[in-house]
Amino acid sequence: MLNFLRFSQFIQKTFAFWVVLFAALAMWVPEAFVWLKVYITWMLGIIMFGMGMTMKVSDFKGVLKSPKAVLIGVIAQFLVMPGLAYALCKLLQLPAEIAIGVILVGCCPGGTASNVITYMAKGNVALSVACTSVSTLIAPLLTPAIFYLLASQWIEIDALSMLSSILQVVLFPIILGLIVRALFKNKVESYITLMPFISVVAIVLIVAAIIGGSKAQILESGLLILAVVILHNGLGYLIGFWAARWFQLPYADSKAVAIEVGMQNSGLGVALAAVHFAASPITAVPSAIFSLWHNISGPALATYWASRKDPDLRNKD
């Protein structure tokens, strides 16, 4: 078991490498991965179930300890990223199918990877966990509502159907995971250690499935989508950080908010695109590329922040 845990930690630390590797393999031999598309919602459900199993009541106590910081983080999450997505789509005059995909990933809640990246960046991990938990739990309402508001000019949106999808692949698995942990407690502890590894494998396969199924569209528009994703992600970090500083949050909290805002649950974006926009495969590509990119930019940003001294502590010296 110890050897497996070491292997699992190695896979998690090299997450970005595996995403890039399997994305490249999917471009080379798409038929090896495209069949996985029908299992995307199931894989995301497993990830969310694992998230539920790792959640504790103490995670939500963080909301009570620092309600201002959590409120700022969650509001920024659902204002900054959707707003940036819409602005980029308008500014760059993106084709409708790509614009819908960019706005969809922008409307998703924060990703669970943000908690790990916040830890690497020496940010406030408890705040990151609280923001992720709250944004994920309210996503079934806010994600379809904001997406409908911003994307309905490009395509007819069935917000209720999207709400149903998010309930099925996000909220229900999380609640089930919470129930399983509450009922079995010590018995599930050993299984919880497996969940990060399973999540990494599932996300890598989800990205590979979408890339493999959209090879032709990526060859045509991949560089444009990558440029938009890099701008979206980078501006999310930047605006999230300075919004937190503007509200006078501590440096460690501001790092957590910035990472929470910049990193999206792109797996959810892929799953929603696969279910609701199956006729246009390229709609899922922004989410897939976002998953690829933020697992490169996140560790890079964390490494930079971890090497810098906290200016709040410097001012006290």
Side-chain angles (χ1 to χ4, degrees), residues 24-83:
L25 287 172
M27 288 293 288
W28 184 33
V29 279
E31 62 276 7
F33 300 97
V34 70
W35 61 274
L36 289 166
K37 286 180 71 174
V38 296
Y39 301 105
I40 285 175
T41 53
W42 286 97
M43 286 190 282
L44 183 62
I46 290 169
I47 293 170
M48 292 297 105
F49 174 72
M51 180 180 175
M53 284 182 66
T54 58
M55 281 183 176
K56 303 174 184 176
V57 175
S58 58
D59 295 340
F60 298 95
K61 287 180 181 177
V63 180
L64 300 176
K65 289 180 180 177
S66 52
K68 175 186 173 182
V70 174
L71 189 63
I72 290 169
V74 172
I75 290 175
Q77 173 70 54
F78 286 108
L79 281 181
V80 172
M81 294 307 276

Coordinates of all heavy atoms in Angstrom, one line a residue, residues 24-83:
A24 N -1.5 14.4 -26.6 CA -0.7 14.2 -27.8 C -1.0 12.8 -28.4 O -1.2 12.7 -29.6 CB 0.8 14.3 -27.4
L25 N -1.2 11.8 -27.5 CA -1.5 10.5 -28.0 C -2.9 10.4 -28.7 O -3.1 9.8 -29.7 CB -1.5 9.4 -26.8 CG -0.1 9.1 -26.3 CD1 -0.3 8.2 -25.0 CD2 0.7 8.3 -27.4
A26 N -3.8 11.2 -28.1 CA -5.2 11.3 -28.6 C -5.2 12.0 -30.0 O -6.0 11.6 -30.9 CB -6.1 12.0 -27.7
M27 N -4.3 12.9 -30.2 CA -4.2 13.5 -31.5 C -3.5 12.6 -32.5 O -3.9 12.6 -33.7 CB -3.3 14.8 -31.4 CG -4.0 16.0 -30.8 SD -5.4 16.6 -31.7 CE -4.6 17.4 -33.1
W28 N -2.6 11.7 -32.1 CA -1.9 10.8 -32.9 C -2.8 9.6 -33.3 O -2.9 9.2 -34.5 CB -0.6 10.3 -32.2 CG 0.2 9.4 -33.1 CD1 0.4 9.5 -34.4 CD2 1.1 8.4 -32.6 NE1 1.3 8.5 -34.8 CE2 1.7 7.8 -33.7 CE3 1.4 7.9 -31.3 CZ2 2.6 6.8 -33.6 CZ3 2.3 6.8 -31.2 CH2 2.9 6.3 -32.3
V29 N -3.4 9.0 -32.3 CA -4.3 7.8 -32.5 C -5.7 8.1 -31.9 O -6.0 7.5 -30.8 CB -3.7 6.5 -32.0 CG1 -2.7 6.0 -32.9 CG2 -3.1 6.7 -30.6
P30 N -6.5 9.0 -32.4 CA -7.8 9.3 -31.8 C -8.7 8.2 -31.6 O -9.5 8.2 -30.6 CB -8.4 10.3 -32.8 CG -7.6 10.1 -34.1 CD -6.3 9.7 -33.7
E31 N -8.6 7.2 -32.5 CA -9.6 6.0 -32.3 C -9.3 5.2 -31.0 O -10.2 4.5 -30.5 CB -9.4 5.1 -33.5 CG -8.1 4.4 -33.7 CD -7.1 5.3 -34.5 OE1 -7.4 6.5 -34.7 OE2 -6.0 4.8 -34.8
A32 N -8.1 5.4 -30.4 CA -7.8 4.7 -29.2 C -8.6 5.3 -28.0 O -8.7 4.7 -26.9 CB -6.3 4.7 -28.9
F33 N -9.0 6.6 -28.1 CA -9.6 7.3 -27.0 C -11.1 7.7 -27.2 O -11.8 8.0 -26.3 CB -8.8 8.5 -26.6 CG -7.4 8.1 -26.2 CD1 -6.3 8.2 -27.1 CD2 -7.1 7.7 -24.9 CE1 -5.0 7.8 -26.8 CE2 -5.8 7.4 -24.5 CZ -4.8 7.4 -25.5
V34 N -11.5 7.9 -28.5 CA -12.8 8.5 -28.8 C -13.9 7.7 -28.2 O -15.0 8.3 -27.8 CB -12.9 8.7 -30.3 CG1 -13.1 7.4 -31.0 CG2 -14.1 9.7 -30.6
W35 N -13.8 6.4 -28.1 CA -14.8 5.6 -27.5 C -15.2 5.9 -26.0 O -16.2 5.6 -25.5 CB -14.5 4.1 -27.6 CG -13.2 3.7 -26.9 CD1 -11.9 3.8 -27.3 CD2 -13.1 3.2 -25.5 NE1 -11.0 3.4 -26.3 CE2 -11.8 3.0 -25.2 CE3 -14.1 2.9 -24.6 CZ2 -11.3 2.5 -24.0 CZ3 -13.6 2.4 -23.3 CH2 -12.3 2.2 -23.1
L36 N -14.2 6.6 -25.4 CA -14.4 6.9 -24.0 C -15.4 8.1 -23.8 O -15.9 8.3 -22.7 CB -13.1 7.4 -23.3 CG -12.0 6.3 -23.1 CD1 -10.7 6.9 -22.8 CD2 -12.5 5.3 -22.0
K37 N -15.8 8.7 -24.9 CA -16.7 9.9 -24.7 C -18.0 9.5 -24.1 O -18.6 10.3 -23.3 CB -17.0 10.5 -26.1 CG -15.8 11.3 -26.7 CD -16.1 11.9 -28.0 CE -17.1 13.0 -27.9 NZ -17.3 13.7 -29.2
V38 N -18.5 8.3 -24.3 CA -19.8 7.9 -23.8 C -19.7 7.7 -22.2 O -20.8 7.7 -21.5 CB -20.4 6.6 -24.4 CG1 -20.6 6.8 -25.9 CG2 -19.4 5.5 -24.2
Y39 N -18.5 7.7 -21.7 CA -18.3 7.4 -20.3 C -17.9 8.7 -19.5 O -17.6 8.7 -18.3 CB -17.3 6.3 -20.0 CG -17.6 5.0 -20.6 CD1 -17.0 4.6 -21.8 CD2 -18.6 4.2 -20.1 CE1 -17.3 3.3 -22.4 CE2 -18.9 3.0 -20.6 CZ -18.3 2.6 -21.8 OH -18.6 1.4 -22.3
I40 N -17.9 9.9 -20.2 CA -17.4 11.1 -19.6 C -18.2 11.5 -18.4 O -17.7 11.8 -17.3 CB -17.4 12.2 -20.6 CG1 -16.2 12.1 -21.6 CG2 -17.3 13.6 -19.9 CD1 -16.2 13.1 -22.7
T41 N -19.6 11.4 -18.5 CA -20.4 11.8 -17.3 C -20.2 10.9 -16.2 O -20.2 11.3 -15.0 CB -21.9 11.9 -17.7 OG1 -22.3 10.6 -18.3 CG2 -22.2 13.0 -18.7
W42 N -20.0 9.6 -16.5 CA -19.7 8.6 -15.4 C -18.4 8.9 -14.7 O -18.3 8.8 -13.5 CB -19.7 7.2 -16.0 CG -21.1 6.7 -16.3 CD1 -21.7 6.7 -17.5 CD2 -22.1 6.2 -15.4 NE1 -23.0 6.2 -17.4 CE2 -23.2 5.8 -16.1 CE3 -22.0 5.9 -14.0 CZ2 -24.4 5.3 -15.5 CZ3 -23.2 5.3 -13.4 CH2 -24.3 5.0 -14.2
M43 N -17.4 9.2 -15.5 CA -16.0 9.5 -14.9 C -16.1 10.8 -14.1 O -15.5 10.8 -13.0 CB -15.0 9.7 -16.1 CG -14.6 8.3 -16.7 SD -13.2 8.4 -17.8 CE -14.0 9.1 -19.3
L44 N -16.8 11.8 -14.5 CA -17.0 13.0 -13.7 C -17.7 12.7 -12.5 O -17.4 13.2 -11.4 CB -17.7 14.1 -14.5 CG -17.8 15.4 -13.8 CD1 -16.4 16.0 -13.5 CD2 -18.6 16.4 -14.6
G45 N -18.8 11.9 -12.5 CA -19.5 11.5 -11.4 C -18.6 10.8 -10.3 O -18.8 11.0 -9.1
I46 N -17.7 9.9 -10.8 CA -16.8 9.3 -9.9 C -15.9 10.3 -9.2 O -15.6 10.2 -8.0 CB -15.9 8.2 -10.7 CG1 -16.8 7.0 -11.1 CG2 -14.8 7.7 -9.8 CD1 -16.2 6.1 -12.1
I47 N -15.4 11.3 -10.0 CA -14.5 12.3 -9.4 C -15.3 13.1 -8.3 O -14.8 13.3 -7.2 CB -14.1 13.3 -10.5 CG1 -13.1 12.6 -11.5 CG2 -13.4 14.5 -9.9 CD1 -12.8 13.4 -12.7
M48 N -16.6 13.4 -8.6 CA -17.4 14.2 -7.6 C -17.7 13.3 -6.4 O -17.7 13.8 -5.3 CB -18.7 14.7 -8.3 CG -18.5 15.7 -9.4 SD -17.7 17.3 -8.7 CE -16.1 17.1 -9.3
F49 N -17.9 12.0 -6.6 CA -18.2 11.1 -5.5 C -16.9 11.1 -4.6 O -17.1 11.1 -3.4 CB -18.5 9.7 -6.0 CG -18.6 8.7 -4.9 CD1 -19.7 8.6 -4.1 CD2 -17.6 7.7 -4.8 CE1 -19.8 7.7 -3.1 CE2 -17.7 6.7 -3.8 CZ -18.8 6.7 -2.9
G50 N -15.8 11.0 -5.2 CA -14.5 11.1 -4.4 C -14.4 12.4 -3.7 O -13.9 12.4 -2.5
M51 N -14.8 13.5 -4.3 CA -14.7 14.8 -3.6 C -15.6 14.8 -2.4 O -15.2 15.3 -1.4 CB -15.1 15.9 -4.6 CG -15.1 17.3 -4.0 SD -15.6 18.5 -5.2 CE -15.6 20.0 -4.2
G52 N -16.8 14.2 -2.6 CA -17.7 14.1 -1.5 C -17.2 13.3 -0.3 O -17.3 13.6 0.9
M53 N -16.5 12.2 -0.7 CA -15.9 11.3 0.4 C -14.8 12.0 1.1 O -14.5 11.7 2.3 CB -15.4 10.0 -0.3 CG -16.5 9.0 -0.6 SD -15.8 7.5 -1.3 CE -14.9 6.8 0.1
T54 N -14.1 12.9 0.5 CA -13.0 13.6 1.2 C -13.5 14.8 1.9 O -12.7 15.4 2.7 CB -11.9 14.0 0.1 OG1 -12.5 14.9 -0.8 CG2 -11.3 12.8 -0.5
M55 N -14.7 15.2 1.7 CA -15.2 16.4 2.5 C -15.5 16.1 3.9 O -15.9 15.0 4.2 CB -16.5 16.9 1.8 CG -16.3 17.7 0.5 SD -17.9 18.3 -0.1 CE -17.3 19.4 -1.4
K56 N -15.4 17.1 4.8 CA -15.7 17.0 6.2 C -16.5 18.2 6.6 O -16.6 19.2 5.9 CB -14.4 16.9 7.0 CG -13.4 15.8 6.7 CD -12.2 16.0 7.5 CE -11.1 15.0 7.1 NZ -9.9 15.2 7.8
V57 N -17.2 18.0 7.7 CA -18.0 19.1 8.2 C -17.1 20.3 8.5 O -17.5 21.5 8.3 CB -18.8 18.7 9.5 CG1 -19.5 19.9 10.1 CG2 -19.8 17.6 9.2
S58 N -15.9 20.0 8.9 CA -14.9 21.1 9.2 C -14.6 21.9 8.0 O -14.2 23.1 8.1 CB -13.6 20.5 9.7 OG -13.0 19.6 8.8
D59 N -14.7 21.4 6.8 CA -14.5 22.1 5.5 C -15.5 23.3 5.5 O -15.1 24.4 5.0 CB -14.7 21.3 4.3 CG -13.6 20.2 4.2 OD1 -12.6 20.3 4.9 OD2 -13.9 19.2 3.5
F60 N -16.7 23.1 5.9 CA -17.7 24.1 5.8 C -17.6 25.1 7.0 O -18.2 26.2 7.0 CB -19.1 23.5 5.8 CG -19.3 22.6 4.5 CD1 -19.1 21.3 4.6 CD2 -19.7 23.2 3.3 CE1 -19.2 20.5 3.4 CE2 -19.8 22.4 2.2 CZ -19.6 21.1 2.2
K61 N -16.9 24.6 8.1 CA -16.7 25.6 9.2 C -15.8 26.7 8.8 O -15.9 27.8 9.4 CB -16.1 24.8 10.4 CG -17.1 23.8 11.1 CD -16.4 23.1 12.2 CE -17.3 22.2 12.9 NZ -16.7 21.4 14.0
G62 N -15.0 26.5 7.7 CA -14.2 27.6 7.2 C -15.0 28.7 6.7 O -14.6 29.9 6.7
V63 N -16.2 28.4 6.3 CA -17.1 29.5 5.8 C -17.5 30.4 7.0 O -17.6 31.6 6.8 CB -18.4 28.9 5.2 CG1 -19.3 30.0 4.7 CG2 -18.0 28.0 4.0
L64 N -17.7 29.8 8.1 CA -18.1 30.6 9.3 C -16.9 31.3 9.9 O -17.1 32.4 10.4 CB -18.7 29.6 10.4 CG -19.9 28.8 10.0 CD1 -20.3 27.9 11.1 CD2 -21.1 29.8 9.6
K65 N -15.7 30.8 9.7 CA -14.5 31.4 10.3 C -14.1 32.6 9.5 O -13.6 33.6 10.0 CB -13.3 30.4 10.3 CG -13.5 29.3 11.4 CD -12.3 28.4 11.4 CE -12.5 27.3 12.4 NZ -11.4 26.3 12.4
S66 N -14.3 32.6 8.2 CA -13.9 33.7 7.3 C -14.9 33.9 6.2 O -14.7 33.7 5.0 CB -12.5 33.5 6.7 OG -12.5 32.2 6.0
P67 N -16.2 34.3 6.7 CA -17.3 34.5 5.7 C -17.0 35.5 4.6 O -17.4 35.3 3.4 CB -18.5 34.9 6.5 CG -17.9 35.4 7.8 CD -16.6 34.7 8.0
K68 N -16.3 36.6 5.0 CA -16.0 37.6 4.0 C -15.1 37.1 2.9 O -15.4 37.3 1.7 CB -15.2 38.8 4.7 CG -14.8 39.9 3.8 CD -13.9 41.0 4.5 CE -13.3 42.0 3.5 NZ -12.5 43.0 4.2
A69 N -14.0 36.4 3.2 CA -13.1 35.8 2.3 C -13.8 34.8 1.4 O -13.6 34.8 0.1 CB -11.9 35.2 2.9
V70 N -14.6 33.9 1.9 CA -15.3 32.9 1.1 C -16.3 33.6 0.2 O -16.4 33.2 -1.0 CB -16.1 31.9 2.1 CG1 -16.9 31.0 1.2 CG2 -15.1 31.1 2.9
L71 N -17.0 34.6 0.7 CA -18.0 35.3 -0.1 C -17.3 36.0 -1.3 O -17.8 35.9 -2.4 CB -18.7 36.4 0.7 CG -19.9 37.1 0.1 CD1 -21.0 36.1 -0.2 CD2 -20.5 38.2 1.0
I72 N -16.2 36.6 -1.0 CA -15.4 37.3 -2.1 C -15.0 36.3 -3.1 O -15.1 36.5 -4.3 CB -14.2 38.1 -1.5 CG1 -14.7 39.3 -0.7 CG2 -13.3 38.5 -2.6 CD1 -13.6 39.9 0.1
G73 N -14.4 35.1 -2.7 CA -14.0 34.1 -3.5 C -15.0 33.5 -4.4 O -14.9 33.4 -5.6
V74 N -16.2 33.2 -3.8 CA -17.3 32.6 -4.6 C -17.9 33.6 -5.6 O -18.2 33.3 -6.7 CB -18.4 32.1 -3.6 CG1 -19.6 31.6 -4.4 CG2 -17.8 30.9 -2.8
I75 N -18.1 34.9 -5.1 CA -18.7 35.9 -6.0 C -17.8 36.2 -7.2 O -18.2 36.2 -8.3 CB -19.0 37.2 -5.2 CG1 -20.2 37.0 -4.3 CG2 -19.3 38.3 -6.2 CD1 -20.5 38.2 -3.4
A76 N -16.5 36.3 -6.9 CA -15.5 36.5 -7.9 C -15.5 35.3 -8.9 O -15.4 35.5 -10.1 CB -14.1 36.7 -7.3
Q77 N -15.6 34.1 -8.4 CA -15.7 32.9 -9.3 C -16.8 33.0 -10.3 O -16.6 32.8 -11.5 CB -15.9 31.7 -8.4 CG -16.1 30.4 -9.2 CD -14.9 29.9 -9.9 OE1 -13.8 29.8 -9.2 NE2 -14.9 29.7 -11.1
F78 N -18.0 33.4 -9.9 CA -19.1 33.4 -10.7 C -19.4 34.7 -11.5 O -20.3 34.9 -12.3 CB -20.4 33.0 -10.0 CG -20.4 31.5 -9.7 CD1 -20.2 31.0 -8.4 CD2 -20.6 30.6 -10.7 CE1 -20.3 29.7 -8.1 CE2 -20.7 29.2 -10.4 CZ -20.5 28.8 -9.1
L79 N -18.5 35.7 -11.2 CA -18.6 37.0 -11.9 C -17.4 37.2 -12.9 O -17.6 37.5 -14.0 CB -18.6 38.2 -10.9 CG -19.9 38.5 -10.2 CD1 -19.7 39.7 -9.3 CD2 -21.0 38.8 -11.2
V80 N -16.2 36.9 -12.3 CA -15.0 37.2 -13.1 C -14.9 36.3 -14.3 O -14.7 36.7 -15.5 CB -13.7 37.1 -12.2 CG1 -12.5 37.2 -13.1 CG2 -13.7 38.2 -11.2
M81 N -14.9 35.0 -14.1 CA -14.7 34.0 -15.2 C -15.8 34.0 -16.3 O -15.5 34.0 -17.5 CB -14.5 32.6 -14.6 CG -13.2 32.5 -13.8 SD -11.7 33.1 -14.6 CE -11.3 31.6 -15.6
P82 N -17.1 34.0 -15.9 CA -18.1 34.2 -17.0 C -18.0 35.5 -17.7 O -18.1 35.6 -18.9 CB -19.4 34.1 -16.2 CG -19.1 33.4 -14.9 CD -17.7 33.8 -14.6
G83 N -17.7 36.6 -16.9 CA -17.6 37.9 -17.5 C -16.4 38.0 -18.5 O -16.5 38.5 -19.6

